[in-house]
Each structure stands twice: as structure tokens, then as C-alpha cells.
Amino acid sequence: MSSEDRDLVVIAMPLYGHAALAVEALETAFASVTECRIEVVVSVDGDPRREVFDALTLYAATRPELHVIFGPNAGPGGARNRAIDFIVESLPDAKAVYFLDADNRVLPTTIDTLYARLKAEQCGWVYTNIDTFSVRWGAHYGDGYSRLTHCVSDNICDTGSMISIDVFDAGVRFDADRQNGFEDWEFWLSCIEAGFVGVPCHDTAFEYRLRAESRFKEANRDRAASLSFLRRRHKALFRRSTLVDFEHQEAPRYAMLRTGDGAIACFTDPTLEPSILDFDEAIRAFWGSAAEPDNFHFPPFLAAGSRETLKLLKQSRLWPNLLVHLERATEAANVVFVQIRNVPAERGIDIEVMPSGHVRKGRADLIFMSSTIVRDAIRNNALDWLGSIAADQVWPTVAVVKVRFPFPAEAPKRSSATPEQSLINLVHTIATSPLQAVAAKRWTWRGSRLPALSELYKQLRTEVGGAPVLPLGHAKSGKRTLALLVPNASFGGAEKVAFAAARELKAEGFETHLFVLGNGRMDVLDEFDASFDFIHFWKAGIPAWGGSNRFLGQDFIAEYHDVDWNALKGQLSGFDLIINNHVMAVHPLMARLRSEGTRTACYLHVVDETPLRRPAGQPFAAIAHEHCYDAFLTCSEQLKVYLHSYGVPLGKIYAVANAPSISVKPKMLTEIVQNRQARAADAPLRILYMGRFEPQKGIDRIHAALQDLRARNIPYEALAVGGEILAEQPSSWTGKLRELGVTVRPPIFGGREIAAILAWGDILIMPSRWEGAPLMIAEAQLVGCVPVATAVGAVDELVSDGRDGILIEGESDLKIVADLANAVESLARDRNRLGRLRDGGLFTASGRSWAASFGPFVEWCDQSVSTTARIVARTPNRPAEPQPIIEIEVPAVA
């Protein structure tokens, strides 16, 4: 083979200040024994010393394959880029580049061995372990390459690596910013972002000259600043979604033993395909990770459950959140039992920690524990202690996690082997393996330099700044992700409006997540149940209100208050858009999330009042944190102006007019209208009230107005639907209303039930002391029920007085009661006016829609909210070898 037919490998050497050593490095390079052609490019980085020119000029005169290029001082990154550009432009047939610093040396076989591995693996680069001279030191950099380790741990590849020319053709270069002390680490991160991966090679090495003091040590003294630079430069790489993708592929967090077939599925993201281990592979991984934790991985959490249970959990939309709860539960107990319950109208997660020796109640559908517990039980001959999890009396401490959600009526099928039995069988098999005898010895002769693979989940927590870290990578199909935060998920108007926002954004292509923070349950809402792809609960450490600080006389929570910041940051990090809907505790976290690339929005609905009628409530805490938010949403133009009066820029505020939270089919609406028109003119007027029985809603005004109407002999039928807040009432309003002949019913929540009740009423009375923009008015107008309401809050944005309802002005209770009674009497006596108002309400409702209301905000999201692409490793030419699922019968423990 002629020299022109051989592959060209170029050795690139940046040079500044090492002229005395450069000739030695060049000699080792040209002494390489290889089948490749080798050319060397020396990039002199503005070194003013005469010896540099003299040495290289003489050397180049005898070596035509040596190219020397001079340029102004640009730092190590700039010098290497100058060499790369020269190679790409002047040596176009180059296949790979090896970077050799002027003070290092290569062995005769280094270049040939590394290039052969590069060709065989078809990877981005090949790197070696490091052995130093001058100061003796050596380290092992792992048997396999991990992007996660490279991102969250340290730089694991020296620039003395064989790099495919494809990397540079893809535009990857070194960062020339002199503020960056880790330009080599930054280069590899750029390679990862471009989809390239490395491969280690232990068959050769290079010689690294280590001195007592060096630029590397200088950079590490300012390590925090350099790391901050890397994170800012590679925001997409350090987002939770990207790191979890890497974790799932390289160091999965969970090992799930399926009780039916004995397969062990290893995963982090439960929405992605797991890798599969059989028992033999699991045993090797377990003891290998004990002997050489930097080379072998065994997941840090071990679980067992049936295929049917796992299917149910995936369908529940709670599975990622449950895994977070299970991780946290292992910090409070040795073992976690998960019990699944079918509750049609509710979702929730409750946790109770049981002491050692408790007698269990009921069997577990899934078992979860830390792998450390297994190691400790084997090491301390405590297998009987651990084995008691399959008995009635359990000696390890246990956290019982009860999960409630609706699922098909039939209960999940149980396999012949329970999760407890299957897990104990696996542990016994591991404990009796002969591999245990060699697990105490490290067989790799170089010392470990990398963190344990099974401990990477902890480094991920540190990187994200929270724990546990939500085990979800990038959304499917490249969707943007939304996290909607609410303090409760019941049937309140504020929650329904927020759910409507999620529904509109899901229709726009977002993957939607509901976070119920400060509560462990939610009601199933028929109109909005399909609005969320995932549902998350976190109750502990999330106060609904509080804080010793004051902003305009109002409470707000700061970062130093007693909040479970770890849990919040671990779960909320990495979303593309977060909408905070009245979760006060989250405000201080928003600035950190925003700095990581998340777009933040705050949804506000009402300015509350104190007993002395002073403005109060959520808007003040939000205004105190205005800097943290990219956008504000309000339920009315009035609240928009209110926020602007406190300094929130108008351009950040989107007034979203409320629309009904219920839907009525055209056929049903036609029947409702026909029934209204068919009612006799002298039939008693049907008066409806729906809401809480409390002063804010004006329940005392309603009672007084109904008394007045009775005194006037106005015939009416009254229905009050709602509930007491007993802690705030000296006596029962339910009893008082019934004394007036009012029918009282408990609260209703289903869309159909609400529509049916509103269809019954001729008028809806709402003499509230303060409001936002109540959904009930829009819903009443939707079915032709005429609202009669006080003109408080943004009610006048929903009701045009005399056209689609009646507004009552004033603040005096006596005046409002009298005006309310007068309005009801006028409608009872003039059914033609009632009909005109009814038709006006129907017309107004026909022009309302959530899609139209959210239109400007959705447009802002399309312009401002983007997602990071999933980083897919470039596929080698050779096909991957699939891992078969090996089915094993797991016998029951006697």
C-alpha cells in the first residue's frame, strides 16, 4: 500500500512556553509505529521567545510532514482551534486528530492503537487512562464511557485523545474564552451536545508530565467559577431532561423484578424502554459494583411487582411521582410497601411509616427498597431479618404507601409469587453466589478516578440542586413540557381556570403535568381529567401560607424559610414552562428555575380582603416576586390594571376572560331553553344560590333578602347548593335557610350535575362582598339562568347590567339586601324582562370560549417557550446487539 493510500492522522500541538520540551514531544510523535500516515501541526500561540522560532524552524526543515503555524496569543482553546482550522482547510484527507501538548509524550504504539479503536468503534473520540511522570500518578477512567459522569462529575477525558474528523466537520471547536479554566472539559461537552460519544482504550496510554504546580491546579482553585461557566454555556446539556436521559441509558436508577417472569427491568424514566437483566447478569452486576464500582453498575433502588401492577401504575399517570415518593420513603424506612386502591372519584398518595416488628395489614402490590439495604443484610448475615418482609410480622421498618386512583373494576391479577417472595429469592440468590468471595478485591490495577456508577443518582441530585430528581427525560415527539402548580385540586373556580389553561396548552402540543403542592389528594374532574399527561403530589414541607417577611404589609415566603426546597427543586427543575397558580411557597424558587431556561408564569384570580376590608391575598406575594416571572395571567382586565398599578409591566400581563368550566351539548341546551319558555308566567320564581355558606359570599345578605321577599308575599322556590365552613360560623346557615323553606343540598361538582342545577334555576343570586371573575356567572348564562350579583371584583366584566344580568351597586349591607330583594321581585313580576335577560345571557355565553380567551397567551408561549432537543448518540456502523428477555420461573418461599 502506497503512503497516499494510508489513512492520515494529524497530531496537533498547541505551543506556548514549552519550547524546550516541544522537540521531545515531536520526537515521540514521529517515532510512532503505525500503518497510518502521520503529519504534525504545531500551533504557536503568540510565544515571543526566540528559542521557539529557532527550534521549530530547524526541525521543520528536516521534516516535511511538520507544519508550523504562528498566530497571536489566543489561549489554549484558540491555539487548538487554529490548528483544527488549518487541518480542515489544508489537510482535507485527514481522518482523525490527536492532540498532544508540548510537555507530554506518546508511546510508539499510542497513535496506531487509538486510531484502530476509533475505526472499529465508529465513535467520536477514543481516550486513555492517564499515567504521569515527573510526579508519579495514575488513574483508571472506567471500562465504559458515561455522558452522565462526564457532565455531573468531572472531566474524564484528557485532550490527549484520538478524535474523529467528523467532530470538527460538525463544527465543534474549543471555547477560546480566557475566563474558562476548563476549555478541554468544555470541548467534550460540546461533542456530547453534537451527538458524539467517547470510547475508552486501555491497550495503550500517553505520558502526562505532572508538576507540583500547573495551569490545571490554577483552574481548580477557581473551580466554582469555571463550573458556573460550563453550566451557562451548555444549559441544554445540564437540564434535568437531558441528564435523566443519560442516566436511563448509562446508569439506570431502578431495578424492577417482575414477579411473573423473573425478568429484571432497569430504568430511570418509566416511559422509556428499560434494559433487561436476567438473574445471572444481575448477580454479576451486583458483586461487580461492590468490587469495582467505577466499572460495574447495579441500580441503587430495587423493586418487585407484577406485570399487571406495573401496567396499572403506568396508566394511572402517577408512576413518575410515585417513584419520587418511594425514593424519599427509603430515607425514613428500610422497606417500602405500595398498596393500590381503586377509588373512582379521587387520586391521592398517603405515606405511613411503621416501626420494626409491626404486624402488617394487607399484602403489598409492589415492594421497593434501597440496594444498600440488601448489601447490609448480606454483609451482616441478616437475611432472616430482611426475609420477614414476606411474613405477617415485619422486622425491618416499613413505609406503607397507599396509592388511590380510578381504574377498571377488576383488581390487578396477582402472580403465584408475591413481590416480597420474589425479591427475597433474588436476594438469596445474590447472597449465595460464589462471586461474593471475590467482591472485596479490586482487579483493575490502576486506582479508581471516577465516582461509583451506582452513586451517580446522588451526583445528579447535586447537579440539579434538589432531591429526589423527577425521573423523566425528554417528552415524546419533542413536545414542550408544562408544569401547572396548584395548592388544591378540587372543584374551586381558581383550579378550574388553571385546568382550562392546561387543556388549551395540551391542545397546542404541550406535555402537561399537574403538581398538587401542599396536598396529597385531588378530586377527579370530569371536564378536565384528560387535560394532564402526568399528575404529581407533594404534601410534606409545603406550607399554604406564612413567612415572617412583609411586602406592603402582606406575608411572603423567602428562601430561608422552612420549606422542602430539595423536593420542590428536584421535581420542578427542567420544565419548559411553569404556571404557578396560587402556590405561595414556590415563588422564591422561580428565579432559579428561570435562570436554568424555564419560562415562568403566575396565574392570579382574586384580591382577597381581611375582616377589616383591607386588600390581601396571593397577588401581593406574587408582586413581591415579579422579577421571577416572564408572564402574569389574570382573570380580568381589572386585575390586570391592579397589578400594573403596583409596577408589573403591562406587556407581561395577559388578561384571560373566564369562560364556563362546564360544557353543554347543543341538544341539551335546546331542551333547557324550551323548558324555560314553556314555564307558566305565574309559576313561582326559582331562585338558586351555589357556593360556600360564608360571609365572603354574602350568605347573610341572601338570608335577609329571602326574609324580605317572604314578607312581601313574593312566591318563589329557593335552592341553596353548598356547604358550611363551621370553624368560621357561630351558628348553622343551613338551619336558618331551611327555616325559610329553602331547600339545601350539599355541594355538587360534576359538570352534568352543575348544568342540571343551573337549568332548574331562573335566577342565580351572588351578593358577594368580594370576588374575582366567578365562573358560576358564565356557567349560569350558558344555560339561560340570569345572574343577579353585586358589582364587586370583575363581575361587571361578565355581566352587562340590564342586558344579560343585573348588577347591584354599593357596599352597605342594608342597601344591598334591599336592592337584591327589589331585583328579584321585579323579575318575579315581569317575566318578559326575565326572558330578555335570559336571551341576553345565552347570547353572551355563545361568544365565550377558553380558546379565544387564552389565544394571546398561547401565542406568547409559541414565541417564547422552547424545548431542548433530545441528544441522540450518533449510531456506530455496526448494529447494536439486542438483549433478550430471559423468562425465569421464580419459586415461592415456603
Side-chain angles (χ1 to χ4, degrees):
M1 182 185 296
S2 65
S3 61
E4 289 74 15
D5 294 333
R6 291 183 294 166
D7 289 346
L8 172 62
V9 174
V10 180
I11 298 175
M13 179 188 297
L15 178 59
Y16 183 93
H18 286 308
L21 301 174
V23 173
E24 180 185 20
L26 289 171
E27 283 294 319
T28 65
F30 286 120
S32 296
V33 179
T34 176
E35 295 182 0
C36 307
R37 285 187 295 141
I38 291 180
E39 297 199 23
V40 178
V41 175
V42 178
S43 175
V44 181
D45 192 34
D47 194 328
R49 299 170 183 85
R50 176 63 184 256
E51 63 175 318
V52 174
F53 182 82
D54 291 344
L56 293 178
T57 302
L58 292 173
Y59 205 101
T62 63
R63 287 282 187 178
E65 64 268 41
L66 173 62
H67 310 269
V68 182
I69 55 178
F70 293 86
N73 184 263
R80 291 189 178 106
N81 288 340
R82 191 182 301 123
I84 293 168
D85 293 339
F86 177 84
I87 294 167
V88 171
E89 294 172 8
S90 303
L91 303 171
D93 55 340
K95 301 296 183 182
V97 176
Y98 181 85
F99 284 103
L100 175 64
D101 287 349
D103 56 343
N104 294 338
R105 304 184 303 217
V106 291
L107 302 178
T109 60
T110 298
I111 301 301
D112 193 63
T113 303
L114 292 181
Y115 183 63
R117 179 64 59 86
L118 183 73
K119 288 178 63 177
E121 297 289 342
Q122 293 291 300
C123 56
W125 71 96
V126 176
Y127 62 98
T128 70
N129 295 313
I130 295 179
D131 296 308
T132 69
F133 64 100
S134 296
V135 175
R136 294 295 298 169
W137 182 83
H140 178 70
Y141 280 82
D143 286 346
Y145 176 70
S146 167
R147 292 171 294 177
L148 180 62
T149 302
H150 211 163
C151 290
V152 304
S153 172
D154 205 341
N155 183 25
I156 62 175
C157 301
D158 190 85
T159 44
S161 299
M162 184 67 68
I163 306 170
S164 170
I165 198 67
D166 293 340
V167 171
F168 305 117
D169 288 342
V172 178
R173 295 293 187 272
F174 286 85
D175 184 84
D177 192 327
R178 295 174 186 270
Q179 301 291 325
N180 175 19
F182 292 146
E183 73 283 339
D184 49 350
W185 192 357
E186 192 279 331
F187 172 76
W188 299 123
L189 296 181
S190 297
C191 291
I192 294 172
E193 279 189 315
F196 295 100
V197 295
V199 170
C201 179
H202 304 320
D203 299 333
T204 189
F206 75 98
E207 294 182 316
Y208 186 105
R209 190 185 305 268
L210 183 62
R211 298 180 178 183
E213 186 59 43
S214 65
R215 186 175 179 276
F216 174 75
K217 286 193 174 183
E218 286 182 356
N220 270 287
R221 290 192 186 102
D222 198 18
R223 185 178 179 85
S226 295
L227 290 178
S228 178
F229 175 90
L230 294 180
R231 293 186 180 101
R232 290 195 308 272
R233 180 71 187 272
H234 298 279
K235 276 188 176 181
L237 199 59
F238 286 94
R239 285 179 72 79
R240 181 257 305 158
S241 52
T242 300
L243 296 176
V244 168
D245 279 342
F246 293 164
E247 183 189 19
H248 179 88
Q249 297 168 35
E250 300 164 358
R253 203 182 308 175
Y254 313 111
M256 176 66 67
L257 171 62
R258 293 203 300 256
T259 58
D261 55 24
I264 300 171
C266 299
F267 64 94
T268 294
D269 186 337
T271 69
L272 300 177
E273 283 297 315
S275 56
I276 303 297
L277 300 178
D278 61 28
F279 265 38
D280 289 340
E281 291 168 328
I283 292 167
R284 286 196 295 271
F286 185 91
W287 291 119
S289 68
E292 299 195 1
D294 53 333
N295 291 327
F296 292 89
H297 173 68
F298 188 83
F301 297 101
L302 187 58
S306 68
R307 187 188 297 269
E308 291 75 16
T309 294
L310 298 179
K311 182 179 179 181
L312 271 183
L313 289 173
K314 288 180 181 180
Q315 293 173 347
S316 72
R317 293 178 276 173
L318 296 170
W319 191 204
N321 179 239
L322 178 59
L323 288 168
V324 170
H325 279 286
L326 296 179
E327 281 192 52
R328 178 61 68 87
T330 61
E331 299 172 12
N334 302 133
V335 182
V336 185
F337 291 168
V338 178
Q339 296 177 344
I340 299 174
R341 298 293 177 265
N342 188 358
V343 181
E346 184 183 24
R347 289 187 177 89
I349 296 177
D350 294 321
I351 302 175
E352 184 178 7
V353 178
M354 301 296 184
S356 174
H358 89 282
V359 178
R360 63 192 300 172
K361 297 178 181 177
R363 290 291 163 183
D365 295 293
L366 185 138
I367 301 293
F368 190 92
M369 69 178 69
S370 167
S371 298
T372 303
I373 291 293
V374 176
R375 297 187 192 280
D376 290 345
I378 295 173
R379 185 183 303 116
N380 296 304
N381 295 318
L383 293 181
D384 290 341
W385 170 83
L386 184 60
S388 69
I389 66 172
D392 291 331
Q393 188 170 26
V394 182
W395 293 108
T397 55
V398 173
V400 179
V401 179
K402 297 180 180 179
V403 188
R404 308 181 303 281
F405 58 92
F407 55 83
E410 62 271 13
K413 298 178 181 178
R414 296 183 182 273
S415 62
S416 57
T418 66
E420 301 95 324
Q421 292 169 337
S422 300
L423 198 58
I424 293 304
N425 281 350
L426 175 61
V427 172
H428 274 282
T429 306
I430 291 173
T432 56
S433 168
L435 292 177
Q436 181 181 2
V438 297
K441 180 179 178 61
R442 179 174 177 85
W443 295 90
T444 299
W445 66 270
R446 286 187 179 92
S448 174
R449 179 69 176 83
L450 305 183
L453 293 170
S454 298
E455 297 288 310
L456 281 179
Y457 80 100
K458 294 181 180 178
Q459 300 230 356
L460 176 59
R461 290 178 173 186
T462 301
E463 184 60 48
V464 171
V469 175
L470 185 66
L472 285 174
H474 280 83
K476 292 182 178 179
S477 304
K479 290 184 176 181
R480 294 170 290 175
T481 54
L482 161 70
L484 175 68
L485 318 183
V486 297
N488 298 288
S490 185
F491 301 98
E495 297 104 89
K496 289 182 178 180
V497 171
F499 298 161
R503 183 171 60 188
E504 295 304 315
L505 289 172
K506 184 174 182 178
E508 192 66 16
F510 278 80
E511 179 184 271
T512 53
H513 296 249
L514 174 65
F515 282 84
V516 184
L517 300 177
N519 209 320
R521 64 167 301 280
M522 69 173 292
D523 295 301
V524 175
L525 307 175
D526 52 358
E527 292 282 341
F528 299 103
D529 191 55
S531 299
F532 300 101
D533 296 298
F534 296 96
I535 298 170
H536 311 260
F537 298 101
W538 199 265
K539 182 178 181 181
I542 313 293
W545 200 262
S548 58
N549 289 309
R550 291 288 186 271
F551 174 78
L552 300 176
Q554 304 294 324
D555 291 341
F556 71 92
I557 294 174
E559 286 183 318
Y560 52 79
H561 284 115
D562 189 16
V563 176
D564 193 347
W565 301 116
N566 253 345
L568 286 175
K569 185 63 166 61
Q571 294 179 78
L572 298 181
S573 179
F575 283 95
D576 299 316
L577 172 64
I578 294 179
I579 300 178
N580 181 10
N581 187 76
H582 285 187
V583 182
M584 186 180 185
V586 173
H587 289 310
L589 190 62
M590 284 297 173
R592 291 170 61 190
L593 297 171
R594 186 169 177 264
S595 70
E596 295 171 357
T598 296
R599 288 286 184 235
T600 57
C602 183
Y603 210 149
L604 299 169
H605 303 277
V606 64
V607 178
D608 291 317
E609 292 185 0
T610 67
L612 296 178
R613 306 299 303 274
R614 179 182 177 182
Q618 291 284 349
F620 293 95
I623 293 168
H625 294 87
E626 178 267 329
H627 170 73
C628 305
Y629 289 100
D630 297 296
F632 284 80
L633 294 92
T634 66
C635 63
S636 64
E637 291 290 340
Q638 183 192 70
L639 187 52
K640 177 178 180 177
V641 172
Y642 193 86
L643 294 181
H644 182 54
S645 72
Y646 281 97
V648 181
L650 274 177
K652 290 175 67 169
I653 310 172
Y654 294 86
V656 179
N658 281 352
S661 69
I662 61 173
S663 58
V664 179
K665 294 182 179 180
K667 181 180 179 181
M668 180 181 177
L669 181 58
T670 300
E671 293 176 356
I672 291 172
V673 173
Q674 290 175 347
N675 290 338
R676 292 191 184 283
Q677 294 171 341
R679 290 198 69 213
D682 57 352
L685 187 70
R686 291 176 174 173
I687 302 172
L688 175 63
Y689 169 74
M690 296 182 73
R692 299 184 301 274
F693 297 171
E694 62 170 349
Q696 184 243 321
K697 295 295 185 181
I699 190 65
D700 53 322
R701 295 170 171 177
I702 292 173
H703 181 264
L706 292 178
Q707 281 184 317
D708 192 358
L709 290 170
R710 284 286 185 231
R712 300 183 191 186
N713 293 320
I714 303 298
Y716 68 81
E717 297 176 16
L719 172 63
V721 180
E724 304 268 5
I725 301 181
L726 298 177
E728 299 180 6
Q729 308 300 334
S731 59
S732 170
W733 284 110
T734 299
K736 292 179 180 180
L737 292 173
R738 283 176 174 161
E739 289 174 1
L740 293 176
V742 178
T743 301
V744 178
R745 290 184 52 180
I748 58 172
F749 305 111
R752 291 183 180 180
E753 290 82 359
I754 292 173
I757 292 294
L758 289 170
W760 173 88
D762 293 317
I763 64 172
L764 174 75
I765 55 176
M766 294 187 65
S768 304
R769 287 182 166 82
W770 71 85
E771 284 286 358
L775 292 177
M776 191 57 64
I777 289 178
E779 291 162 356
Q781 292 170 329
L782 178 66
V783 294
C785 182
V786 177
V788 180
T790 45
V792 294
V795 170
D796 59 359
E797 294 182 27
L798 297 171
V799 176
S800 296
D801 187 34
R803 189 174 72 182
D804 51 22
I806 296 177
L807 292 176
I808 299 173
E809 303 282 352
E811 294 186 1
S812 166
D813 286 340
L814 290 176
K815 180 180 183 301
I816 288 174
V817 169
D819 289 350
L820 177 60
N822 292 336
V824 174
E825 180 179 3
S826 70
L827 295 176
R829 297 186 183 280
D830 187 352
R831 299 304 172 91
N832 289 330
R833 185 186 182 208
L834 177 66
R836 291 194 298 272
L837 293 174
R838 177 195 65 217
D839 293 341
L842 290 168
F843 178 79
T844 297
S846 68
R848 288 192 181 112
S849 74
W850 288 114
S853 296
F854 279 109
F857 177 69
V858 170
E859 183 178 350
W860 174 82
C861 290
D862 288 339
Q863 295 173 352
S864 304
V865 181
S866 59
T867 190
T868 56
R870 186 190 298 271
I871 296 176
V872 180
R874 302 193 180 212
T875 306
N877 288 341
R878 70 183 194 283
E881 297 179 4
Q883 288 184 297
I885 297 177
I886 301 177
E887 299 189 355
I888 300 174
E889 289 294 329
V890 182
V893 174

